Amino acid sequence: MTAVPFFDLTAINGRVREDLDLAWKSVLQHCKFVGGPEVAAFESEFAAYCGADGCVGVANGTDALELIFAALGIGAGDEVIVPANTFVATAEAVVAAGARPRFVDVLPDTLLIDPDSAAAAVNCRTAAIVGVHLFGQMVDVDGLSSITDRHGLALIEDAAQAHGARFGGQRAGSVGAAAAFSFYPGKNLGALGDGGAVVSNDCELIGRVRCLANHGRSAVERHRHDERGRNSRLDSIQAAALAIKLGHLDEENEARRAAMRRYARQLPSWCELVQTHRKAEPVHHLAVVQVPNRAVVGKSLTDAHIGWGVHYPIPCHRQPAYAEFVEELPVAEAAAEAVMSLPLSPGMRGEEIERVCDALARIQL
Ligand SMILES: *Cc1c(COP(=O)(O)O)cnc(C)c1O
């Protein structure tokens, strides 16, 4: 009996194995492991892919967020509105920048930030709203930008799960003041280790992030440090791998969409897929459903050798480390009890989805 893996990274990287081997050899030839020509090449390709003017490669997605806050001058005394339903890194970056996260609720159908809940949380200390494009779907950009425009706030995109996603035809990375991407191996565009990027149409902001991420170094004089920066750079080898994998991203995202269409047709009715906003074109980082009894469903899938996950069982505002920022957020709390992520990989075969759906259909609830 063959298992259905939750996510098949071996298959994804296997498809580009020969190109990756060549890229590694070429970096080993020139030995410019940091700041090599691969980095600038990938940065301009990725900016163009996102439909944005600039991109800086950084060490990971969490740093990308933190560097955006720092470059926008967001820190001590500021509040940043963050959805409760996100990976903890979104809140972590706010705190690392010295600001306070203000958790708000999500919409019951998409599980993405609720613009009304965000609007109600705005006060005189609010500096920005982070729109987290969770599970591969972009947030309601219209709803959020009307709030940020009205109050003069920055809209920052956490696009760590949304490489290539669109809203109203515009790509993730092109709609906010700046966007943070993660290239953690399991993301839709994944490196061979950690990696991240800041993407923006604001070239001045891109320059500031580039400076801060490279020890605050002047762009023209190597030993002059204009800012108190840090070290957060994308390695040449990771940039080389990412450029190769970027060439396959649209095709892989399309394969994810095809798999989700199959799920939508074959899942039992009690397995409720997260909904898509009418203007959104998601890239389905995760196949998230809400189920009535997760413990029973999970055990049945495990018994059938089917991989599954939970994103996320504890909403950020209920995490022990963030107890100081607690709120009552009923939609995020109910979702945390019910969500479950089904297997999803770009190379997934129709019969694998059928197996997952058959295993679910057999469950007596
Ligand atoms: C993965 C992820 C991050 C953090 O990215 P890293 O590269 O792991 O630091 C931030 N936000 C969200 C929503 C993520 O999924």
Side-chain angles (χ1 to χ4, degrees):
M1 199 160 85
T2 52
V4 183
F6 177 62
F7 177 61
D8 193 354
L9 188 54
T10 313
I12 293 170
N13 285 334
R15 237 170 280 135
V16 289
R17 177 70 196 264
E18 283 171 26
D19 290 339
L20 291 175
D21 280 344
L22 291 174
W24 170 240
K25 282 183 189 141
S26 134
V27 173
L28 206 51
Q29 281 283 329
H30 64 54
C31 282
K32 292 191 190 92
F33 297 112
V34 176
E38 293 81 5
V39 179
F42 172 71
E43 285 173 345
S44 56
E45 282 165 36
F46 193 62
Y49 178 83
C50 297
D53 293 334
C55 169
V56 197
V58 299
N60 56 66
T62 313
D63 280 7
L65 282 166
E66 191 187 332
L67 286 158
I68 291 171
F69 298 135
L72 289 172
I74 296 171
D78 293 324
E79 274 188 18
V80 176
I81 293 173
V82 171
N85 182 34
T86 180
F87 180 54
V88 74
T90 317
E92 208 174 273
V94 173
V95 172
R100 281 178 71 89
R102 177 75 193 271
F103 294 113
V104 300
D105 218 342
V106 293
L107 294 163
D109 52 351
T110 60
L111 303 184
L112 301 175
I113 189 167
D114 176 353
D116 291 339
S117 186
V122 174
N123 62 37
C124 59
R125 292 177 301 278
T126 310
I129 300 178
V130 184
V132 182
H133 307 318
L134 205 67
F135 310 146
Q137 177 174 194
M138 283 178 74
V139 296
D140 175 358
V141 175
D142 300 339
L144 288 184
S145 6
S146 81
I147 303 164
T148 51
D149 289 351
R150 188 160 64 242
H151 297 281
L153 310 173
L155 173 59
I156 295 167
E157 298 174 70
D158 181 340
Q161 302 190 0
H163 318 72
R166 285 191 165 99
F167 185 93
Q170 288 183 292
R171 277 243 160 100
S174 69
V175 299
F181 285 90
S182 164
F183 305 123
Y184 178 80
K187 307 286 172 152
N188 287 41
L189 179 60
L192 309 178
D194 278 311
V198 173
V199 170
S200 176
N201 288 320
D202 178 347
C203 291
E204 226 180 280
L205 179 111
I206 288 291
R208 271 201 300 283
V209 170
R210 193 181 292 290
C211 169
L212 288 170
N214 190 21
H215 302 294
R217 182 169 274 155
S218 144
V220 285
E221 212 181 304
R222 185 178 163 78
H223 290 291
R224 198 181 81 215
H225 299 270
D226 295 330
E227 308 253 12
R228 294 179 187 172
R230 51 183 295 195
N231 177 359
S232 181
R233 296 175 300 220
L234 182 69
D235 290 337
S236 308
I237 182 64
Q238 300 302 351
L242 288 164
I244 292 163
K245 294 183 72 178
L246 181 58
H248 299 264
L249 180 59
D250 280 339
E251 188 190 310
E252 288 178 353
N253 283 342
E254 192 42 52
R256 287 173 186 268
R257 281 187 200 108
M260 292 303 286
R261 285 193 292 269
R262 261 180 193 272
Y263 270 132
R265 282 197 304 270
Q266 298 182 9
L267 281 173
S269 59
W270 52 263
C271 232
E272 263 183 80
L273 276 166
V274 164
Q275 297 295 299
T276 299
H277 186 285
R278 66 187 166 80
K279 289 181 79 175
E281 293 169 66
V283 291
H284 304 292
H285 175 59
L286 293 165
V288 177
V289 291
Q290 298 196 71
V291 300
N293 190 339
R294 187 166 65 204
V296 170
V297 177
K299 183 174 182 310
S300 307
L301 290 182
T302 302
D303 289 348
H305 305 281
I306 291 166
W308 59 282
V310 179
H311 303 88
Y312 296 89
I314 307 173
C316 287
H317 68 294
R318 296 287 178 197
Q319 290 289 356
Y322 296 87
E324 175 187 347
F325 311 109
V326 73
E327 304 271 350
E328 294 276 325
L329 303 170
V331 182
E333 281 156 36
E337 298 289 322
V339 286
M340 163 166 226
S341 308
L342 300 176
L344 183 64
S345 302
M348 212 176 167
R349 287 168 292 123
E351 68 218 58
E352 291 180 298
I353 293 173
E354 229 154 86
R355 260 186 74 163
V356 177
C357 295
D358 286 349
L360 289 167
R362 280 196 299 272
I363 297 171
Q364 309 281 326
L365 284 168

